[in-house]
């Protein structure tokens, strides 16, 4: 495994982590009263847009899954539209799952949906950038020993960490500590964000540590 490829992955992941930090700091210079807790819904939108934009730009620049075949313009448009549909479906699916796990069904619909958008940005968008709208490839990557590149291994780790972070973030909500961050869905979205950032750092370190065992044979 080439060390240069691991360094590219590390640089890309660190940029994504930095974008989240900037999304929490920079808007305060342009929006009065902006804060992660005080205007949480605005922060959710800003964070989702920043992470999504950077992931797309990094994919176009680094081309971790570049195909040797050149596709037509019509095929690219069709692929783009499919990706948009898949992302929207992912938001709806995450929203439904969050409600099934106890989120308010009618109240706080906007808050729940924006949390679903954030989770889709951390997970589904990465799949779409790396694998495209190919469900079979998604199933392969998230199956045991299914990753065929360090980018796919990183996708596994960051996606799992994001979902687990959101899940663990729900634990403090029912406790009567009366803290501002216990308001729905602040703790869940912060948990997902910290989980995603942890995954971004853990992934290249884990890959570097296990690089001799990771052969990534083509299937």
């Amino acid at each position: 495994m080439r060390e240069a490829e691991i360094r590219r992955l590390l640089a890309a992941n660190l940029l994504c982590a930095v974008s989240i930090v900037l999304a929490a700091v920079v808007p305060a210079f342009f929006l009065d009263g902006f804060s992660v807790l005080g205007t949480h819904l605005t922060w959710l939108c800003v964070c989702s847009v920043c992470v999504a934009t950077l992931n797309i730009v990094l994919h176009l620049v680094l081309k971790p899954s570049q195909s040797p075949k050149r596709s037509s313009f019509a095929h690219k448009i069709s692929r783009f539209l499919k990706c948009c549909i898949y992302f929207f479906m992912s938001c709806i699916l995450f929203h439904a799952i969050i409600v099934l796990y106890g989120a308010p069904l009618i109240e706080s619909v906007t808050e729940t949906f924006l949390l679903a958008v954030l989770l889709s940005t951390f997970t589904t968008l990465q799949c779409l950038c790396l694998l495209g709208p190919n469900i079979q490839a998604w199933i392969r990557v998230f199956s045991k020993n299914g990753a065929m590149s360090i980018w796919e291994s990183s996708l596994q780790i960051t996606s799992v960490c994001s979902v687990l972070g959101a899940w663990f973030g729900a634990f403090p909500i029912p406790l009567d500590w009366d803290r501002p961050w216990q308001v729905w869905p602040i703790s869940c979205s912060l948990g997902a964000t910290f989980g995603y950032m942890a995954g971004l750092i853990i992934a290249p370190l884990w890959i570097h540590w296990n690089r001799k065992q990771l052969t990534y044979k083509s299937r």
Side-chain angles (χ1 to χ4, degrees):
M1 185 184 301
R2 294 183 302 173
E3 290 292 333
E5 194 70 9
I6 298 179
R7 287 195 292 268
R8 289 178 67 202
L9 174 65
L10 177 61
N13 285 6
L14 288 178
L15 282 175
C16 289
V18 169
S19 72
I20 294 176
V21 176
L22 293 178
V25 176
V26 173
F29 294 100
F30 303 97
L31 302 175
D32 293 334
F34 176 87
S35 69
V36 173
L37 298 182
T39 55
H40 191 66
L41 296 186
T42 303
W43 176 79
L44 281 175
C45 296
V46 172
C47 184
S48 298
V49 170
C50 289
V51 174
T53 303
L54 185 59
N55 268 288
I56 293 171
V57 170
L58 288 174
H59 173 73
L60 294 175
V61 173
L62 298 178
K63 295 180 173 61
S65 59
Q66 187 176 17
S67 174
K69 298 180 180 179
R70 291 189 177 183
S71 55
S72 64
F73 179 75
H75 176 75
K76 292 179 180 178
I77 294 296
S78 174
R79 181 185 174 95
F80 173 76
L81 293 176
K82 284 183 180 180
C83 288
C84 292
I85 294 172
Y86 279 31
F87 183 80
F88 179 73
M89 291 173 60
S90 171
C91 295
I92 298 298
L93 179 60
F94 270 120
H95 185 102
I97 292 173
I98 294 169
V99 169
L100 291 175
Y101 267 89
L105 176 61
I106 299 176
E107 298 178 357
S108 305
V109 173
T110 303
E111 290 85 346
T112 304
F113 185 75
L114 288 179
L115 173 60
V117 172
L118 185 73
L119 284 171
S120 295
T121 303
F122 290 159
T123 57
T124 306
L125 182 69
Q126 291 189 98
C127 293
L128 291 171
C129 288
L130 188 63
L131 306 172
N134 185 346
I135 299 299
Q136 294 300 322
W138 296 18
I139 295 173
R140 171 185 60 77
V141 168
F142 289 99
S143 62
K144 184 178 181 181
N145 301 321
M148 298 197 321
S149 69
I150 64 172
W151 300 93
E152 292 182 358
S153 292
S154 178
L155 174 62
Q156 290 176 335
I157 295 171
T158 54
S159 297
V160 171
C161 287
S162 300
V163 174
L164 288 178
W167 184 61
F168 282 116
F171 287 178
I173 292 179
L175 303 177
D176 58 348
W177 294 345
D178 196 25
R179 296 291 189 269
W181 49 266
Q182 287 180 276
V183 177
W184 176 256
I186 295 178
S187 61
C188 287
S189 56
L190 290 179
T193 304
F194 288 132
Y196 176 66
M197 293 180 69
L200 291 173
I201 298 172
I202 292 171
L205 297 179
W206 182 85
I207 292 169
H208 177 75
W209 185 265
N210 296 276
R211 62 189 183 281
K212 293 182 179 179
Q213 289 79 26
L214 299 175
T215 55
Y216 297 122
K217 294 180 180 179
S218 299
R219 292 172 173 79

